């Protein structure tokens, strides 16, 4: 039978409209209108892909370096276990129960639980935090891609400390270069998001996640076998030194726990909406947290031995990865190859995270407008890119655009999203899931987790919200 293009188009439209109607206001559907992960493993890859990113390889090591090593790591692990994992479970659960973008999922779940529709603020704040994070994330990820090119071409072979610092300053001081690489990275992110859940997101994590773990193991072995300072690196990471730790370190550790697990902004909730029914949420969340923490610690095990072996400073701050590390690779045998591997690893990790930063807003646009996935992704991505220009220019043209405390646009985006919006979103998610979500919903989602339910409930009701609150108060006073 011949079907004309017009007929086909009308049919597609009708299905879309039906799906859209279904998407609004219905609960406990077995599928999301956006598509589904093909298996539990693919959900784990996707969520771990979101979690493992610049936060693990760039941010965690430099924060640990600045905040006394072991004692920071201890605080961070405490936050992951007591606050992070319970909220991770809550986000997956809300997503899978709502099967829509976080904003709409919160609307229907609040309604079904007789709670105020104002709880959709969780979704709105999350989308805002997503844009803010992506604004600086895209810039740093762009640097990492640029460093792949630099490493391959041998620009860092034998480089001295001053030259490495100058090379970094020259690069970040050039608005065209920084914006160019940020644009390239964002274009990649948008392209993947535009292809949808199955052909875009899942296809990406299916290949990049195994590759990422493999590269990381190779680098740990390299660090262990060639630096002669592996034990010094381990000691630094795991031996607490309380002198360098302050209340500010505590809030940094908590902010980092949220950031690294992608919590508090709906990314995991959005991904949870595509998770198949019938598998344990607690087990899945624990797996994701272990993978994420493992990658952060392994990154430390790659970086610090290299830093110490070359007599460099561990407390270099954000420049640790972009100045200190290239010097170290530049002095090491095989540094050109392994340095390239390192920055490829960072770029892979960044892309599997940035697609999750975009997803909550893209899903919402698909549900609320007639734009469709591809145009929705482009629209949302362009907004994030535009905001990102502010972060990109913070290192050059806009270096003087600072607040009275000296923070530039980039610093403000980083600080407000990680240390305020994510923990605040986390408190609200914990309160809603722990106290307000209807028991039916909860039982339906945690059917496979009856054993863990009481512990999870206790942590989510009391420990997570109070923990975040206390850290907030300690910081303010
Ligand atoms: N978890 C990512 C990282 O550690 O790099 C960053 C991130 C991704 C934060 C997605 C928040 C998010 F929703």
């Amino acid at each position: 039978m011949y079907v004309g293009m017009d007929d086909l188009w009308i049919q597609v439209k009708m299905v879309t409209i039906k799906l859209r109607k279904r998407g609004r206001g219905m609960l406990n559907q077995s599928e999301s209108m956006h598509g589904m992960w093909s298996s539990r493993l693919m959900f784990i890859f996707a969520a771990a892909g979101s979690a493992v990113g610049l936060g693990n390889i760039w941010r965690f090591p430099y924060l640990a370096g600045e905040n006394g090593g072991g004692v920071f790591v201890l605080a961070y692990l405490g936050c992951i276990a007591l606050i992070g994992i319970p909220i991770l479970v809550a986000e997956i659960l809300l997503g899978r129960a709502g099967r829509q973008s976080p904003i709409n999922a919160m609307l229907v779940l609040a309604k079904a639980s007789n709670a105020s529709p104002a709880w959709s603020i969780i979704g709105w704040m999350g989308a805002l935090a997503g844009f803010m994070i992506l604004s600086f994330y895209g810039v740093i990820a762009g640097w990492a891609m640029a460093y792949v090119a630099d490493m391959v071409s041998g620009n860092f072979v034998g480089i001295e400390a001053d030259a490495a610092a100058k090379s970094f300053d020259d690069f970040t001081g050039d608005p065209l270069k920084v914006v160019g690489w940020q644009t390239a990275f964002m274009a990649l992110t948008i392209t993947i998001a535009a292809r949808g859940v199955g052909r875009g997101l899942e296809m990406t994590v299916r290949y990049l996640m195994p590759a990422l773990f493999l590269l990381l193991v190779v680098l740990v072995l390299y660090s262990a076998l060639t630096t002669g300072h592996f034990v010094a690196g381990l000691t630094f990471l795991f031996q607490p030194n309380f002198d360098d730790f302050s209340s500010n370190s505590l809030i940094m550790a908590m902010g980092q726990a949220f950031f690294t697990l992608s919590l508090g902004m709906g990314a995991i909730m959005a991904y949870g909406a595509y998770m198949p029914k019938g598998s344990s949420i607690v087990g899945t969340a624990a797996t994701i947290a272990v993978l994420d923490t493992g990658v952060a610690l392994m990154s430390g095990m790659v970086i610090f031995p290299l830093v110490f072996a070359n007599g460099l400073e561990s407390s270099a701050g954000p420049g640790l990865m972009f100045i200190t590390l290239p010097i170290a690779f530049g002095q090491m045998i095989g540094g050109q190859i392994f340095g390239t591997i390192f920055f490829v690893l960072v770029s892979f990790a960044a892309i599997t995270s940035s697609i999750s930063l975009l997803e909550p807003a893209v899903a919402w646009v698909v549900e609320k407008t007639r734009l469709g996935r591809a145009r929705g992704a482009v629209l949302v991505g362009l907004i994030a890119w535009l905001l990102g220009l502010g972060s990109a220019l913070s290192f050059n043209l806009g270096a003087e655009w600072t607040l009275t405390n000296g923070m530039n646009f980039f610093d403000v985006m980083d600080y407000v999203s990680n240390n305020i919006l994510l923990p605040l979103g986390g408190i609200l998610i914990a309160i809603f899931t722990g106290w307000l979500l209807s028991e039916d919903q909860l039982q339906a989602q945690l059917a496979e987790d009856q054993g863990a339910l009481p512990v999870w409930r206790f942590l989510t009701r009391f420990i997570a919200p109070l923990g975040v609150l206390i850290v907030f108060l300690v910081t303010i006073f």
Side-chain angles (χ1 to χ4, degrees):
M1 186 186 76
Y2 170 77
V3 183
M5 275 317 270
D6 283 353
D7 296 346
L8 208 61
W9 178 241
I10 290 171
Q11 278 180 19
V12 169
K13 271 281 187 218
M14 275 166 48
V15 172
T16 322
I17 291 168
K18 258 193 222 148
L19 283 174
R20 239 183 233 140
K21 281 194 183 141
R22 191 142 55 91
R24 254 174 242 152
M26 275 196 52
L27 262 180
N28 291 338
Q29 310 158 69
S30 53
E31 302 249 322
S32 146
M33 68 178 279
H34 303 285
M36 298 288 287
W37 308 117
S38 61
S39 63
R40 171 173 181 255
L41 181 68
M42 284 303 133
F43 172 68
I44 292 178
F45 275 15
S50 167
V52 171
L54 297 173
N56 305 60
I57 314 175
W58 166 67
R59 210 163 180 271
F60 170 78
Y62 91 70
L63 286 179
E66 280 180 336
N67 292 288
V71 69
F72 175 85
V73 176
L74 211 61
Y76 160 81
L77 291 178
C79 291
I80 294 277
L82 297 176
I83 302 175
I85 294 180
I87 296 182
L88 185 57
V89 170
E91 279 209 33
I92 300 174
L93 185 166
L94 293 177
R96 199 170 73 170
R99 290 265 184 247
Q100 299 173 67
S101 66
I103 295 174
N104 283 334
M106 285 312 300
L107 268 179
V108 287
L109 290 172
K111 193 164 159 215
S113 307
N114 289 325
S116 158
W119 282 97
S120 63
I121 182 83
I122 292 177
W124 289 107
M125 262 174 41
L128 175 69
F131 282 119
M132 292 174 75
I133 294 175
L134 201 47
S135 95
F136 67 85
Y137 211 82
V139 174
I140 306 283
W143 295 356
M145 294 205 312
Y147 269 57
V148 173
D150 273 338
M151 279 286 172
V152 170
S153 49
N155 284 356
F156 294 122
V157 175
I159 199 166
E160 298 289 330
D162 292 347
K166 182 170 182 311
S167 149
F168 178 70
D169 289 343
D170 287 349
F171 169 62
T172 54
D174 183 339
L176 279 181
K177 280 193 183 145
V178 177
V179 171
W181 283 104
Q182 180 228 2
T183 306
F185 179 80
M186 289 303 296
L188 211 58
T189 303
I190 294 170
T191 308
I192 296 171
R195 290 170 61 90
V197 177
R199 290 191 320 132
L201 308 186
E202 178 163 323
M203 196 67 106
T204 305
V205 299
R206 178 187 290 269
Y207 295 106
L208 292 195
M209 291 314 287
L212 191 152
F213 286 114
L214 191 75
L215 295 182
L216 190 58
V217 170
V218 168
L219 286 169
V220 172
L221 290 177
Y222 172 74
S223 196
L225 297 178
T226 64
T227 56
H229 281 68
F230 197 63
V231 175
L234 290 185
T235 311
F236 178 75
L237 272 176
F238 295 108
Q239 198 172 67
N241 166 16
F242 289 90
D243 295 346
D244 294 329
F245 197 77
S246 64
S247 66
N248 195 46
S249 311
L250 191 61
I251 196 168
M252 298 304 261
M254 192 187 65
Q256 174 63 10
F258 275 95
F259 184 74
T260 192
L261 287 177
S262 305
L263 295 179
M265 62 139 286
I268 296 292
M269 214 189 284
Y271 274 15
Y274 317 144
M275 181 187 180
K277 256 195 100 66
S279 42
S280 149
I281 291 184
V282 175
T284 307
T287 309
I288 295 163
V290 167
L291 288 175
D292 182 68
T293 307
V295 172
L297 295 176
M298 283 166 80
S299 302
M301 291 178 208
V302 173
I303 292 174
F304 291 116
L306 278 164
V307 169
F308 295 142
N310 292 283
L312 300 166
E313 271 302 319
S314 59
S315 57
L320 186 64
M321 191 167 103
F322 294 102
I323 301 174
T324 313
L325 216 52
I327 305 171
F329 279 123
Q331 312 299 326
M332 303 285 301
I333 37 163
Q336 188 176 351
I337 295 173
F338 289 94
T340 305
I341 293 182
F342 181 86
F343 283 101
V344 169
L345 167 80
V346 178
S347 306
F348 282 4
I351 194 85
T352 57
S353 296
S354 63
I355 50 181
S356 76
L357 282 160
L358 219 48
E359 186 58 23
V362 173
W364 183 78
V365 169
V366 173
E367 286 160 15
K368 292 300 275 191
T369 72
R370 292 175 181 276
L371 282 178
R373 181 85 195 185
R375 273 176 285 176
V378 172
L379 174 74
V380 170
L382 277 180
I383 299 174
W385 172 79
L386 213 60
L387 194 66
L389 291 182
S391 290
L393 298 182
S394 292
F395 298 88
N396 34 70
L397 298 180
E400 306 293 309
W401 310 336
T402 56
L403 300 180
T404 44
N405 61 6
M407 281 175 138
N408 60 27
F409 188 88
F410 179 103
D411 301 327
V412 173
M413 292 292 126
D414 181 348
Y415 192 88
V416 172
S417 55
N418 295 325
N419 300 324
I420 299 175
L421 287 178
L422 297 189
L424 204 59
I427 294 191
L428 293 177
I429 288 168
I431 294 176
F432 181 83
T433 323
W435 296 96
L436 299 173
L437 184 67
S438 79
E439 195 59 27
D440 292 351
Q441 288 294 331
L442 200 70
Q443 293 295 343
Q445 294 303 327
L446 293 182
E448 291 83 10
D449 294 303
Q450 289 303 314
L453 184 63
V455 180
W456 171 79
R457 206 195 286 262
F458 176 74
L459 291 174
T460 307
R461 284 192 164 174
F462 301 102
I463 304 299
L466 284 177
V468 179
L469 199 68
I470 289 170
V471 177
F472 264 146
L473 293 179
V474 167
T475 319
I476 293 169
F477 299 109

